[in-house]
Amino acid sequence: MRLVKLVLPLALLAYFVWNYVDADAFLSLAGKTGIPPMIAYFGSLFAARWLQAVQTRIALLETGVAVGSAEVFRAQLVATFYTMFVPGDLVGGGVTWYLLKRSRGGGAAIAMVLVYLRLVFLATAIPFVIFGLLMESRLHSASLFAALAVASVATVVATMPLVFRSAARISGNLIAVLSGWFGEGATGVQRALATVRECITTCASASLRSTSAVFGLAVVLHLLGAIGLWLAAEAAHANVPFHAFFWIWPLMIVVHMLPLSFGGLGVREITLIYVLNTLYATSAESVLLLSMIALLATTVLSLAGGVWNSFRAARPDEGSG
C-alpha cells in the first residue's frame, strides 16, 4: 500500500509534466520567479501555523488541558514533517494528538478538540467558497450549488453539537441510546462512547469568548490561506484573479486531506492544471512552478519540524517545555 502511495503521485506528476509542460519554457519561467511574493508566501504559512497553534491552545484550555502556543506550534511542525512521508491530513492530526497527549495527557479531550477545530475550519470555509463562486460566473450551475449546499449542511450539522449545548444534549442522548444497544460484554465500546459524549459536552460548554476566538481565528486562517496561495501564484506569474483563491484555497485543503499522495504531490498538479487552465488560461508551466513553490514551502515547514523534533529528542529533560 505504501508503495502504491509512493508510485501514484510520481506517476501523476510524470503524466502532468510529460503531457502539459514544455521544459524550456518552464526553466525560463522559473528563472523569473518573483522572490518578494514567494518570501511573503512563506511568511504567511508560518504566521498561519502560529495562529492555528493559538487557536488550539484556546480550545484545549476549555477542556482543562493547559498547553502553551509554542508547544502546539512545535507539534504541528513535527506533524508536517511526518506528512511528507506518510500521506493524508489525518496522519498530521494523529501526530499532533500523540505529541500533545504524551506531554500533557488527556488524550480523549485533545482528540475531540482537534476534530472540533477541523470541523470549524471546514464550516468557516463555506462563506469563502460561496463568495468565490458567486464572483466567478462561469461556475454558476444548479448542480454545483446543490452539491455545495449538501456539503455545507453536512458540515454545519456535524459542527453544531460541539458548539451549541442544546445540540450537544441531543447528540448525548443519541450516544446514550447507541451505548444501550451494546450488551454488558461490550464495556470497552460503552466507555469509549461515554468519553465521546463527555468530550462533546465539554466542547459545547466552552465560553462565548473562547468560541468566538476559535471561529474568528478560523476566518483569519482562511484569509491568510487565500492570500498566501495568491502570493505563490503571483511569484509563479500565474495571472489568476485574487477572488478566485477564496474557493481554490478550500479546494486545495480538500486535496491535501485525501490520503492519496505525499504532500498532495501529483494530485495537486492535476487539479490545478484543470482548474487554472480551464478557467483562467494559466499555462502548465506556471501551474508547475506554483506547485513547486508550494512544495518548497511545505518542505521548509517539515524540515523545521524535523529539526525541532530531533533537538527535543536529544534533550528529553526539556520535553514538555
Side-chain angles (χ1 to χ4, degrees):
M1 192 63 180
R2 291 183 179 179
L3 180 62
V4 172
K5 291 181 177 180
L6 174 63
V7 172
L8 177 61
L10 294 177
L12 287 173
L13 186 60
Y15 171 82
F16 168 76
V17 173
W18 181 263
N19 287 278
Y20 298 102
V21 177
D22 180 274
D24 293 333
F26 172 74
L27 292 175
S28 175
L29 185 65
K32 303 174 184 176
T33 301
I35 302 301
M38 185 173 71
I39 293 175
Y41 168 56
F42 282 25
S44 72
L45 288 181
F46 275 97
R49 285 303 174 96
W50 177 257
L51 290 178
Q52 191 176 14
V54 172
Q55 181 194 46
T56 304
R57 176 186 63 80
I58 292 172
L60 284 173
L61 190 59
E62 291 291 325
T63 67
V65 179
V67 61
S69 298
E71 185 174 352
V72 180
F73 183 64
R74 174 174 60 194
Q76 291 173 343
L77 289 182
V78 173
T80 304
F81 174 75
Y82 282 102
T83 55
M84 291 294 292
F85 305 98
V86 184
D89 182 76
L90 185 61
V91 173
V95 173
T96 302
W97 169 82
Y98 171 75
L99 292 174
L100 294 178
K101 171 183 172 292
R102 185 176 65 177
S103 63
R104 298 294 172 178
I110 293 173
M112 184 55 66
V113 164
L114 293 178
V115 171
Y116 162 59
L117 292 177
R118 177 53 66 182
L119 288 172
V120 168
F121 193 64
L122 292 175
T124 50
I126 294 171
F128 289 93
V129 175
I130 293 174
F131 173 78
L133 293 180
L134 288 176
M135 292 289 290
E136 189 53 70
S137 59
R138 286 169 291 185
L139 292 175
H140 292 180
S141 70
S143 58
L144 178 61
F145 281 105
L148 178 61
V150 171
S152 301
V153 170
T155 303
V156 171
V157 169
T159 308
M160 286 178 65
L162 299 170
V163 178
F164 300 105
R165 296 179 185 181
S166 57
R169 283 195 296 271
I170 295 173
S171 297
N173 292 335
L174 291 175
I175 291 174
V177 172
L178 179 62
S179 179
W181 288 350
F182 294 94
E184 295 182 359
T187 54
V189 175
Q190 291 176 333
R191 282 198 301 268
L193 290 174
T195 301
V196 171
R197 182 181 180 183
E198 180 182 351
C199 289
I200 290 175
T201 302
T202 302
C203 287
S205 300
S207 66
L208 178 60
R209 181 179 180 180
S210 172
T211 303
S212 300
V214 167
F215 274 81
L217 284 169
V219 171
V220 173
L221 286 170
H222 284 299
L223 285 172
L224 272 176
I227 292 171
L229 195 55
W230 171 74
L231 287 169
E234 288 293 297
H237 307 285
N239 298 320
V240 179
F242 175 67
H243 68 78
F245 292 99
F246 282 112
W247 67 270
I248 293 176
W249 161 248
L251 177 63
M252 290 298 99
I253 294 174
V254 174
V255 168
H256 279 273
M257 289 177 68
L258 299 175
L260 297 177
S261 66
F262 300 91
L265 193 64
V267 180
R268 175 178 55 223
E269 285 72 26
I270 295 298
T271 304
L272 284 174
I273 189 60
Y274 176 78
V275 171
L276 299 184
N277 183 263
T278 302
L279 295 176
Y280 308 109
T282 303
S283 69
E285 292 75 24
S286 288
V287 171
L288 180 60
L289 182 57
L290 167 60
S291 181
M292 292 300 100
I293 291 172
L295 181 61
L296 176 61
T298 304
T299 302
V300 170
L301 284 173
S302 68
L303 287 177
V307 170
W308 202 336
N309 191 44
S310 299
F311 178 77
R312 184 187 185 192
R315 304 178 66 175
D317 291 341
E318 301 180 6
S320 60

